[in-house]
Amino acid sequence: MPPLFPESTTAELAARAAAVMTPNYRPLPLILTGGSGARVHDRDGRTFLDMVAGIAVNCLGHGHPRLATAIAAQAAELVHISNLYLNEPAIALAETMIARTFGDRIFFANSGAEANEAALKLARRYQTTALGSPEKTGILAYHHSFHGRTLGALSVTGQPKYHKGFEPLVPGVVFATFGDLADTARVIDAATTPVGTIIVEPIQCEGGINVPDQGFFTGLRELCDARGIILIFDEVQTGIGRTGTLFCYEQFGMTPDILTTAKGIAGGVPLGAMICTEKVSVGFEPGSHATTFGGNALATRAGLEVLRVIQDDGLLDNAKAMGAYLASGLQALVAKYPDICATERGMGLVRGLELKDGVQTAAERATFITALAREEGMLINVVQGTTLRFVPPLVVTTAELDECFAILDSVFSATI
Ligand SMILES: *Cc1c(COP(=O)(O)O)cnc(C)c1O
């Protein structure tokens, strides 16, 4: 396609963007225009190895031919028709997702936050209407969690910095320590509003790539069963193959009642989904929840193609193998730079490398490292100020990861 701004410099366009967009983002003056696989390039001809992947969204990488063809073909036929009618891509994607998960039914939304809103509303309505427990409107979530920015999803996000200025939030939400069953039980017992729902991420990604001990989730399942609590797994970031299985819960030997996913689901086309058991699904009835765009033909066709490519190209196995390779390469760097790196952690292709304080603080180091890495041709970002996050596309190769390690080695050797 011809460029929209052939006469303007990147700096000019960054200034124009800053003049017209609301001030809630702090974008780098970097305008990306295309890419292929785990590589992306900007309008000034610089190429980057992309370890951000649209924040764990571009699971097939950039410019994937099958995804591009599917989107173009669907767009030429039918983009959207509303939920007053059915469309074939939504039926196909729904059947595929149900066949490959614990779930019996699915609701399509447009984002992670919206999938979580649907889950929280379904769980509450199931408790108060289907089960006849109108008092159980309380929700337990975890400190350092992240569930999205709508008021409901924000209310269960355990990071006070995101709440500032938006209170009052949804009432009846209590927070426990992630990975701690005893604390979960204690907080439920102490809650003034009886807890009917628990929402939890299998790995806290925005919260710093926190992985709980084996046994936490089987224990949490037992606790929910014993107390009649609906368990929601937020797999918005860990889903769609990122941890080496289609969903992360598969590795914990238990199933939630409701699962939400988004980010990677349609390779970058906005789509979210809430999957639930038949039992819990009766919390909704016609009219109780809806979205105009959710499950439209374009987005679900993209989602269907993503799942087909993951299957045809063995991307779950690749995520598993490349995840192990990424982990060992990052561990080698932790061993080589013990004064800079604290730990490496994660599952599959969602990994964090936590920095230490030195001459500079860990946060200053994180800023320095991401900026120098960019100069050396790699995009990475930081969670919680001090943990480098690695969420490359599921198609990433050993050669690309070797390049990532070499850039980190060079950048760490220049870090004070
Ligand atoms: C990104 C994210 C969300 C929010 O998704 P949006 O599409 O930005 O609304 C929710 N939960 C988790 C775990 C996420 O990583």
Side-chain angles (χ1 to χ4, degrees):
M1 281 189 280
L4 287 172
F5 302 105
E7 311 296 338
S8 307
T9 67
T10 296
E12 285 165 0
L13 291 177
R16 285 167 64 175
V20 293
M21 296 190 188
T22 56
N24 48 316
Y25 297 120
R26 235 180 338 222
L28 296 162
L30 188 63
I31 302 183
L32 300 168
T33 49
S36 171
R39 272 178 216 286
V40 67
H41 60 256
D42 72 0
R43 68 197 297 276
D44 302 313
R46 290 181 294 178
T47 299
F48 304 92
L49 182 61
D50 188 3
M51 303 301 281
V52 177
I55 311 187
V57 165
N58 305 308
C59 56
L60 304 185
H62 300 281
H64 195 285
R66 278 184 59 183
L67 181 60
T69 302
I71 291 170
Q74 186 61 48
E77 281 175 19
L78 182 77
V79 171
H80 176 86
I81 51 152
S82 90
N83 299 301
L84 301 172
Y85 316 100
L86 293 165
N87 73 75
E88 291 188 6
I91 298 169
L93 180 60
E95 287 186 346
T96 308
M97 295 280 272
I98 293 314
R100 302 206 43 194
T101 62
F102 74 94
D104 304 306
R105 292 183 180 271
I106 188 165
F107 168 81
F108 291 116
N110 312 291
S111 67
E114 282 180 60
N116 284 335
E117 289 292 332
L120 294 168
K121 286 180 70 179
L122 176 63
R124 178 173 285 183
R125 205 167 187 281
Y126 176 72
Q127 286 287 5
T128 60
T129 306
L131 287 189
S133 309
E135 73 291 352
K136 283 177 89 172
T137 58
I139 305 168
L140 182 140
Y142 288 91
H143 295 299
H144 308 297
S145 61
F146 184 83
H147 298 294
R149 305 299 197 119
T150 57
L151 269 178
L154 182 65
S155 300
V156 295
T157 290
Q159 303 195 47
K161 66 181 179 194
Y162 294 135
H163 293 172
K164 264 202 206 129
F166 295 114
E167 293 100 343
L169 300 175
V170 172
V173 179
V174 288
F175 294 96
T177 303
F178 185 61
D180 188 334
L181 273 181
D183 191 56
T184 302
R186 184 190 64 76
V187 171
I188 292 170
D189 290 337
T192 44
T193 308
V195 171
T197 303
I198 291 180
I199 183 165
V200 65
E201 298 150 90
I203 301 173
Q204 290 186 330
C205 296
E206 302 297 315
I209 321 291
N210 308 319
V211 186
D213 291 337
Q214 271 292 337
F216 174 61
F217 287 116
T218 42
L220 192 61
R221 177 73 270 177
E222 282 167 18
L223 183 151
C224 287
D225 288 343
R227 293 171 181 250
I229 292 171
I230 300 304
L231 180 57
I232 302 171
F233 253 41
D234 178 346
E235 295 226 30
V236 168
Q237 190 155 166
T238 53
I240 317 296
R242 182 139 299 276
T243 67
T245 46
L246 190 60
F247 290 101
C248 192
Y249 78 84
E250 298 167 44
Q251 300 181 50
F252 294 129
M254 47 72 71
T255 57
D257 300 298
I258 303 176
L259 178 148
T260 57
T261 193
K263 289 199 165 82
I265 187 172
V269 178
L271 180 66
M274 177 196 70
I275 297 167
C276 64
T277 60
E278 180 68 33
K279 189 177 102 177
V280 173
S281 70
V282 302
F284 278 169
E285 57 190 311
S288 47
H289 192 58
T291 158
T292 297
F293 293 122
N296 89 12
L298 184 74
T300 51
R301 183 64 187 84
L304 183 65
E305 197 65 17
V306 165
L307 290 185
R308 286 178 174 172
V309 172
I310 286 175
Q311 175 81 30
D312 295 348
D313 293 358
L315 293 185
L316 297 181
D317 287 342
N318 195 61
K320 215 173 289 169
M322 292 306 104
Y325 195 73
L326 178 57
S328 65
L330 294 178
Q331 279 155 18
L333 286 160
V334 172
K336 183 169 176 187
Y337 295 98
D339 296 333
I340 296 174
C341 307
T343 56
E344 179 283 331
R345 52 181 182 260
M347 280 175 76
L349 284 176
V350 50
R351 311 213 74 92
L353 194 159
E354 190 178 326
L355 301 170
K356 275 184 184 168
D357 290 336
V359 174
Q360 293 190 307
T361 64
E364 287 166 344
R365 283 175 156 180
T367 305
F368 172 80
I369 288 166
T370 49
L372 188 56
R374 202 161 55 244
E375 270 174 43
E376 297 202 5
M378 178 169 73
L379 301 181
I380 38 172
N381 87 327
V382 177
V383 286
Q384 296 300 311
T386 55
T387 298
L388 305 176
R389 168 169 51 187
F390 300 85
V391 282
L394 307 186
V395 298
V396 74
T397 63
T398 50
E400 287 161 343
L401 292 178
D402 285 339
E403 195 181 322
C404 163
F405 305 147
I407 292 174
L408 287 174
D409 197 348
S410 151
V411 169
F412 286 163
S413 68
T415 300
I416 53 166

Short mmCIF file of all heavy atoms in Angstrom, two decimals, residues 97-128:
data_model
loop_
_atom_site.label_atom_id
_atom_site.label_comp_id
_atom_site.label_asym_id
_atom_site.label_seq_id
_atom_site.Cartn_x
_atom_site.Cartn_y
_atom_site.Cartn_z
N MET A 97 -12.72 -24.52 19.48
CA MET A 97 -12.28 -24.19 20.83
C MET A 97 -12.89 -25.15 21.86
O MET A 97 -12.21 -25.58 22.80
CB MET A 97 -12.67 -22.75 21.19
CG MET A 97 -11.99 -21.70 20.36
SD MET A 97 -10.31 -21.36 20.91
CE MET A 97 -10.64 -20.11 22.11
N ILE A 98 -14.17 -25.46 21.69
CA ILE A 98 -14.83 -26.36 22.64
C ILE A 98 -14.21 -27.76 22.57
O ILE A 98 -13.97 -28.40 23.58
CB ILE A 98 -16.36 -26.40 22.34
CG1 ILE A 98 -17.01 -25.05 22.63
CG2 ILE A 98 -17.05 -27.52 23.10
CD1 ILE A 98 -16.64 -24.42 23.93
N ALA A 99 -13.93 -28.21 21.34
CA ALA A 99 -13.35 -29.55 21.17
C ALA A 99 -11.97 -29.64 21.82
O ALA A 99 -11.55 -30.71 22.24
CB ALA A 99 -13.26 -29.89 19.69
N ARG A 100 -11.28 -28.53 21.92
CA ARG A 100 -9.89 -28.57 22.40
C ARG A 100 -9.72 -28.10 23.84
O ARG A 100 -8.61 -27.93 24.31
CB ARG A 100 -9.03 -27.74 21.45
CG ARG A 100 -9.15 -28.30 20.03
CD ARG A 100 -8.00 -28.03 19.16
NE ARG A 100 -6.73 -28.22 19.82
CZ ARG A 100 -5.58 -27.78 19.34
NH1 ARG A 100 -5.58 -27.13 18.20
NH2 ARG A 100 -4.46 -27.99 19.97
N THR A 101 -10.84 -27.87 24.55
CA THR A 101 -10.74 -27.42 25.94
C THR A 101 -11.72 -28.17 26.83
O THR A 101 -12.53 -28.97 26.34
CB THR A 101 -11.07 -25.92 26.07
OG1 THR A 101 -12.43 -25.72 25.66
CG2 THR A 101 -10.15 -25.06 25.21
N PHE A 102 -11.68 -27.86 28.13
CA PHE A 102 -12.64 -28.41 29.10
C PHE A 102 -14.04 -27.89 28.84
O PHE A 102 -15.01 -28.43 29.36
CB PHE A 102 -12.23 -27.99 30.52
CG PHE A 102 -12.52 -26.54 30.79
CD1 PHE A 102 -13.70 -26.15 31.41
CD2 PHE A 102 -11.64 -25.56 30.35
CE1 PHE A 102 -14.01 -24.81 31.61
CE2 PHE A 102 -11.94 -24.21 30.55
CZ PHE A 102 -13.12 -23.84 31.18
N GLY A 103 -14.18 -26.82 28.08
CA GLY A 103 -15.42 -26.06 28.03
C GLY A 103 -16.50 -26.70 27.18
O GLY A 103 -16.23 -27.55 26.32
N ASP A 104 -17.75 -26.26 27.43
CA ASP A 104 -18.90 -26.73 26.65
C ASP A 104 -19.50 -25.61 25.81
O ASP A 104 -20.17 -25.86 24.82
CB ASP A 104 -19.99 -27.26 27.58
CG ASP A 104 -19.48 -28.35 28.50
OD1 ASP A 104 -18.91 -29.33 27.99
OD2 ASP A 104 -19.62 -28.20 29.74
N ARG A 105 -19.29 -24.36 26.27
CA ARG A 105 -19.91 -23.22 25.58
C ARG A 105 -18.94 -22.05 25.56
O ARG A 105 -18.07 -21.94 26.41
CB ARG A 105 -21.21 -22.82 26.28
CG ARG A 105 -22.28 -23.87 26.12
CD ARG A 105 -23.58 -23.45 26.74
NE ARG A 105 -24.57 -24.49 26.57
CZ ARG A 105 -25.39 -24.59 25.51
NH1 ARG A 105 -25.35 -23.68 24.55
NH2 ARG A 105 -26.25 -25.58 25.41
N ILE A 106 -19.15 -21.16 24.57
CA ILE A 106 -18.22 -20.04 24.40
C ILE A 106 -19.00 -18.76 24.07
O ILE A 106 -20.06 -18.82 23.45
CB ILE A 106 -17.20 -20.38 23.27
CG1 ILE A 106 -16.08 -19.35 23.16
CG2 ILE A 106 -17.89 -20.53 21.93
CD1 ILE A 106 -14.89 -19.84 22.33
N PHE A 107 -18.46 -17.66 24.56
CA PHE A 107 -19.00 -16.33 24.23
C PHE A 107 -17.84 -15.53 23.65
O PHE A 107 -16.76 -15.49 24.24
CB PHE A 107 -19.51 -15.65 25.51
CG PHE A 107 -19.83 -14.18 25.36
CD1 PHE A 107 -21.03 -13.76 24.80
CD2 PHE A 107 -18.90 -13.22 25.76
CE1 PHE A 107 -21.30 -12.40 24.66
CE2 PHE A 107 -19.17 -11.86 25.62
CZ PHE A 107 -20.38 -11.46 25.06
N PHE A 108 -18.06 -14.87 22.52
CA PHE A 108 -16.99 -14.07 21.91
C PHE A 108 -17.14 -12.60 22.28
O PHE A 108 -18.22 -12.03 22.19
CB PHE A 108 -17.02 -14.20 20.38
CG PHE A 108 -16.62 -15.57 19.90
CD1 PHE A 108 -17.53 -16.38 19.22
CD2 PHE A 108 -15.34 -16.06 20.12
CE1 PHE A 108 -17.17 -17.64 18.77
CE2 PHE A 108 -14.98 -17.33 19.68
CZ PHE A 108 -15.89 -18.12 19.00
N ALA A 109 -16.00 -12.01 22.67
CA ALA A 109 -15.93 -10.58 22.96
C ALA A 109 -14.85 -9.98 22.06
O ALA A 109 -14.43 -10.62 21.08
CB ALA A 109 -15.59 -10.39 24.44
N ASN A 110 -14.40 -8.78 22.39
CA ASN A 110 -13.45 -8.09 21.52
C ASN A 110 -12.09 -7.84 22.14
O ASN A 110 -11.21 -7.28 21.50
CB ASN A 110 -14.02 -6.74 21.08
CG ASN A 110 -15.43 -6.87 20.59
OD1 ASN A 110 -15.66 -7.45 19.53
ND2 ASN A 110 -16.38 -6.39 21.35
N SER A 111 -11.94 -8.21 23.40
CA SER A 111 -10.69 -7.92 24.10
C SER A 111 -10.64 -8.78 25.36
O SER A 111 -11.63 -9.42 25.73
CB SER A 111 -10.65 -6.45 24.50
OG SER A 111 -11.66 -6.20 25.48
N GLY A 112 -9.48 -8.71 26.02
CA GLY A 112 -9.32 -9.45 27.26
C GLY A 112 -10.21 -8.91 28.37
O GLY A 112 -10.86 -9.67 29.09
N ALA A 113 -10.23 -7.60 28.50
CA ALA A 113 -11.06 -7.00 29.55
C ALA A 113 -12.52 -7.37 29.36
O ALA A 113 -13.22 -7.69 30.33
CB ALA A 113 -10.89 -5.47 29.54
N GLU A 114 -12.98 -7.34 28.12
CA GLU A 114 -14.39 -7.68 27.87
C GLU A 114 -14.68 -9.15 28.12
O GLU A 114 -15.79 -9.50 28.57
CB GLU A 114 -14.76 -7.35 26.42
CG GLU A 114 -15.01 -5.90 26.17
CD GLU A 114 -15.35 -5.69 24.72
OE1 GLU A 114 -16.35 -6.25 24.25
OE2 GLU A 114 -14.60 -4.99 24.04
N ALA A 115 -13.73 -10.01 27.82
CA ALA A 115 -13.92 -11.44 28.12
C ALA A 115 -14.02 -11.61 29.64
O ALA A 115 -14.85 -12.38 30.14
CB ALA A 115 -12.76 -12.26 27.56
N ASN A 116 -13.19 -10.87 30.39
CA ASN A 116 -13.26 -10.95 31.85
C ASN A 116 -14.55 -10.36 32.39
O ASN A 116 -15.12 -10.89 33.35
CB ASN A 116 -12.05 -10.25 32.47
CG ASN A 116 -10.79 -11.09 32.36
OD1 ASN A 116 -10.87 -12.32 32.27
ND2 ASN A 116 -9.63 -10.45 32.36
N GLU A 117 -15.03 -9.27 31.79
CA GLU A 117 -16.33 -8.72 32.21
C GLU A 117 -17.41 -9.77 32.05
O GLU A 117 -18.25 -9.96 32.94
CB GLU A 117 -16.72 -7.50 31.35
CG GLU A 117 -15.92 -6.25 31.58
CD GLU A 117 -16.16 -5.63 32.95
OE1 GLU A 117 -17.25 -5.80 33.53
OE2 GLU A 117 -15.23 -4.98 33.43
N ALA A 118 -17.40 -10.46 30.90
CA ALA A 118 -18.40 -11.49 30.65
C ALA A 118 -18.30 -12.60 31.70
O ALA A 118 -19.31 -13.09 32.22
CB ALA A 118 -18.22 -12.07 29.25
N ALA A 119 -17.06 -12.98 32.03
CA ALA A 119 -16.85 -14.06 33.01
C ALA A 119 -17.34 -13.64 34.39
O ALA A 119 -18.01 -14.42 35.08
CB ALA A 119 -15.36 -14.42 33.06
N LEU A 120 -17.00 -12.42 34.81
CA LEU A 120 -17.42 -11.95 36.13
C LEU A 120 -18.95 -11.84 36.20
O LEU A 120 -19.57 -12.19 37.21
CB LEU A 120 -16.77 -10.60 36.45
CG LEU A 120 -15.24 -10.62 36.62
CD1 LEU A 120 -14.69 -9.19 36.63
CD2 LEU A 120 -14.85 -11.36 37.89
N LYS A 121 -19.55 -11.37 35.11
CA LYS A 121 -21.01 -11.24 35.09
C LYS A 121 -21.68 -12.61 35.10
O LYS A 121 -22.67 -12.83 35.79
CB LYS A 121 -21.47 -10.41 33.87
CG LYS A 121 -21.18 -8.92 34.01
CD LYS A 121 -21.65 -8.13 32.79
CE LYS A 121 -23.16 -8.04 32.68
NZ LYS A 121 -23.56 -7.24 31.48
N LEU A 122 -21.13 -13.55 34.31
CA LEU A 122 -21.71 -14.89 34.27
C LEU A 122 -21.61 -15.56 35.64
O LEU A 122 -22.58 -16.14 36.14
CB LEU A 122 -20.99 -15.75 33.22
CG LEU A 122 -21.46 -17.22 33.16
CD1 LEU A 122 -22.94 -17.31 32.76
CD2 LEU A 122 -20.60 -18.03 32.21
N ALA A 123 -20.43 -15.47 36.27
CA ALA A 123 -20.25 -16.12 37.58
C ALA A 123 -21.22 -15.53 38.59
O ALA A 123 -21.87 -16.25 39.36
CB ALA A 123 -18.81 -15.95 38.05
N ARG A 124 -21.34 -14.20 38.60
CA ARG A 124 -22.24 -13.57 39.57
C ARG A 124 -23.69 -13.95 39.30
O ARG A 124 -24.44 -14.30 40.21
CB ARG A 124 -22.09 -12.05 39.54
CG ARG A 124 -23.05 -11.37 40.49
CD ARG A 124 -22.82 -9.90 40.62
NE ARG A 124 -21.64 -9.62 41.44
CZ ARG A 124 -21.25 -8.38 41.75
NH1 ARG A 124 -21.94 -7.35 41.32
NH2 ARG A 124 -20.18 -8.19 42.49
N ARG A 125 -24.08 -13.93 38.03
CA ARG A 125 -25.48 -14.23 37.72
C ARG A 125 -25.81 -15.70 37.99
O ARG A 125 -26.92 -16.05 38.39
CB ARG A 125 -25.78 -13.86 36.27
CG ARG A 125 -27.27 -13.55 36.02
CD ARG A 125 -27.48 -12.89 34.67
NE ARG A 125 -28.86 -12.46 34.49
CZ ARG A 125 -29.85 -13.28 34.16
NH1 ARG A 125 -29.61 -14.55 33.95
NH2 ARG A 125 -31.09 -12.81 34.03
N TYR A 126 -24.79 -16.58 37.77
CA TYR A 126 -24.98 -18.00 38.08
C TYR A 126 -25.19 -18.17 39.59
O TYR A 126 -26.10 -18.88 40.02
CB TYR A 126 -23.76 -18.79 37.61
CG TYR A 126 -23.80 -20.25 37.97
CD1 TYR A 126 -24.68 -21.12 37.31
CD2 TYR A 126 -22.97 -20.78 38.96
CE1 TYR A 126 -24.74 -22.46 37.64
CE2 TYR A 126 -23.01 -22.12 39.29
CZ TYR A 126 -23.90 -22.95 38.63
OH TYR A 126 -23.96 -24.29 38.96
N GLN A 127 -24.38 -17.49 40.38
CA GLN A 127 -24.53 -17.59 41.84
C GLN A 127 -25.88 -17.03 42.30
O GLN A 127 -26.60 -17.67 43.06
CB GLN A 127 -23.41 -16.80 42.55
CG GLN A 127 -22.04 -17.43 42.51
CD GLN A 127 -21.90 -18.64 43.43
OE1 GLN A 127 -22.85 -19.09 44.05
NE2 GLN A 127 -20.70 -19.19 43.47
N THR A 128 -26.18 -15.81 41.83
CA THR A 128 -27.33 -15.11 42.41
C THR A 128 -28.66 -15.60 41.83
O THR A 128 -29.68 -15.56 42.52
CB THR A 128 -27.23 -13.59 42.17
OG1 THR A 128 -27.19 -13.34 40.77
CG2 THR A 128 -25.99 -13.01 42.83
#
